[in-house]
Each structure stands twice: as C-alpha cells, then as structure tokens.
Amino acid sequence: MEIPERLSWVRRTPVGRDWLATLPRWRDECAERWCLRLGAPFPYAFASLALPATLPDGTPAVLKLQYPDEDSRREADALAHWAGDGAVRLLAHDPRRRALLVERCLPGSPVHELPPDEALDVVAGLLPRLWQPAGGPFTTLAEEAAGWRARLPVNWERAGRPYERRLLDAALGRLADLVDDQGEQVLVNQDLHAGNVLRATREPWLVIDPKPLVGEREFGAVPIVRGPELGHSPTALRRRLDRLTGALGLDRDRVRGWAIAQTLAWSTDGEVVFPNQVESVRWLVDGD
C-alpha cells in the first residue's frame, strides 16, 4: 500500500514500522465492516492514514487509521462529546484498530486560505462552542503540563541545547505559575491550528483532528496563536494573540504563558528541532 510522503516519518521507529505493516489489513477489515468504498489516501495527513470513503447510501466520509500515539488517543471521545457541534461528526469507531469513521468536510478547504483576520473571526466563533464541560476519560491540562515540565530540560540537553537557556527558564517558570490556578475546566484542543478548520456543507466551518485535554479556556486559544498558517512573524503572532484574547474575553497573559510553554515543549522531537517553533517562543517571550 502506498503511504503518503508526509506519513513516511513513521518508518524511523519499530513501532511505526509495525503500524505500517498492519495498515493494509486494517484498512480492508474496516472497509468490509462498514461497507465502505475507499479512495486514495489524502496526501496531507501527518499522524494517520486518512482515506476518502463513501457509505452504502452515498454519504461521503473519511476513514482514519491513527498512528498509536497518546496525543490522539481520545480523538473519538472528543468528537462524540461535541456531537457535531462545531466539529465533524463521529460516525463509527473501532478502538482496537484505532480506526475512526468521520463526517467528510466538503469542499474541505482550510480556513487559512482566508485573509488572516477573517480566519480569526471563524475560529473565535467556533472555540466557545467546543469549550464544553468535560471530565474523564480525557487527560487534564495539569497532567500534560507536568509532563512538559519533566521533559523540557531533558529534551533541551538531548537536542544539544538548541536554543537559549532563557527560553527554557521562561517556559518552566510559566508552567509553575499557570497550572494550579486555572479557571473552569472545559474540553480544549491542543492542536486546533488553521489547517484543522475546514470549510464544510452542514456548517460553514468544522474542526477536525482534535487532540483533546481538559483545561482552562485560555489554553484553548494557544494552537492558533502559535501556528504559522496565518503568518509567521512577530507582528502576525501578536496580532493573533490580541485578536483572540480580545474577542473571547480571555486573560492575555495566561494565553501568552501557555503558548510559551506548549510551543517550546513541541519544538523538539528527540534530536530533531523545529526552528519555527523556537522562533515563535522567542517572539512570545520578548513581546509585551
């Protein structure tokens, strides 16, 4: 089975190679179980094999076979919790195969194709609908942040100290200040960037591919603030921070603090460093 180029990174590990070996069988088993007609994989999927699917009644859908990482483990639970309110509907779920059958967005163009301010208006309209009270089975932001605090110094050393110590100290300091005095705990999505909001038919725009946590609303704005899809510059980043916090009545300094912490935590993967992420942290730390 041909694998999209963006998914080729999984070949670097034994777990990834084992997962790739199962995909043809699981794809065929899911197609048989749910009576799907499948197309060629979407080329842009990075953490799953995603294929356009058609149900027996002609309904368009997407079959997702997830890479077995922890961040996406509760995607199906989040989609079920939202029940189509601002996000794609979950049509079926096979936990053993990490397989999801979800509503397909048509035409499916991402919100970052809009001018940045228009895209931010779309996101500001969706976020409050997603911030629903939730408890188990979701990981809490406090638990996730504890992992970042533990891993950040280790990852910094492992990657060869690829950025200034002051950025590491800033992230650790923010985590120490933010975790214990959060506001109301709601369902937030730590990967709601502008490529994961798609134009749809049932609603004008729908969210896909959530990586859910339970935490305060201020964290929910972070992925859009840090993401480069709506412009990668100090001015564009601060514009997103100001627009979203103003429109949604969020504490700007807490959003900024969470953005510093999560962006730095996601800036390395083993010895691989993502310079755009580090640059964004630098702008956030040095900004007002």
Side-chain angles (χ1 to χ4, degrees), residues 68-220:
D69 63 0
E70 285 302 312
D71 286 341
S72 60
R73 179 172 295 279
R74 296 301 177 184
E75 176 177 343
D77 297 303
L79 294 177
H81 193 82
W82 287 322
D85 187 1
V88 293
R89 286 180 172 138
L90 178 68
L91 305 178
H93 180 213
D94 183 335
R96 185 174 73 83
R97 296 179 178 86
R98 293 287 293 267
L100 286 72
L101 187 66
V102 300
E103 174 182 10
R104 194 192 318 173
C105 293
L106 295 172
S109 52
V111 76
H112 60 69
E113 292 186 358
L114 296 178
D117 283 350
E118 291 183 31
L120 290 173
D121 288 341
V122 170
V123 173
L126 286 171
L127 280 173
R129 298 169 61 189
L130 303 176
W131 291 337
Q132 299 178 12
F138 303 106
T139 300
T140 67
L141 176 55
E143 292 171 304
E144 191 77 3
W148 298 337
R149 289 183 71 180
R151 292 190 298 271
L152 270 166
V154 175
N155 292 344
W156 184 64
E157 294 285 358
R158 181 181 297 148
R161 301 185 177 186
Y163 48 80
E164 309 94 288
R165 175 75 201 209
R166 69 186 181 90
L167 302 185
L168 176 62
D169 290 341
L172 293 173
R174 287 293 189 151
L175 288 170
D177 293 339
L178 289 167
V179 171
D180 292 335
D181 63 345
Q182 295 181 58
E184 181 188 8
Q185 301 290 283
V186 296
L187 196 57
V188 293
N189 176 2
Q190 61 176 329
D191 201 30
L192 203 167
H193 57 73
N196 279 344
V197 181
L198 303 184
R199 193 179 288 280
T201 304
R202 178 173 59 82
E203 293 196 23
W205 300 94
L206 291 171
V207 170
I208 64 167
D209 297 346
K211 292 179 170 53
L213 297 171
V214 173
E216 67 175 351
R217 290 171 174 81
E218 276 72 12
F219 181 81

Side-chain angles (χ1 to χ4, degrees), residues 215-233:
E216 67 175 351
R217 290 171 174 81
E218 276 72 12
F219 181 81
V222 164
I224 287 288
V225 170
R226 67 172 170 79
E229 295 84 4
L230 299 179
H232 184 66
S233 71

Side-chain angles (χ1 to χ4, degrees), residues 240-261:
R240 294 193 292 273
L241 177 61
D242 291 340
R243 287 265 303 186
L244 285 178
T245 54
L248 296 170
L250 301 174
D251 184 315
R252 184 184 186 277
D253 190 58
R254 292 186 70 85
V255 175
R256 179 176 165 231
W258 283 120
I260 289 168

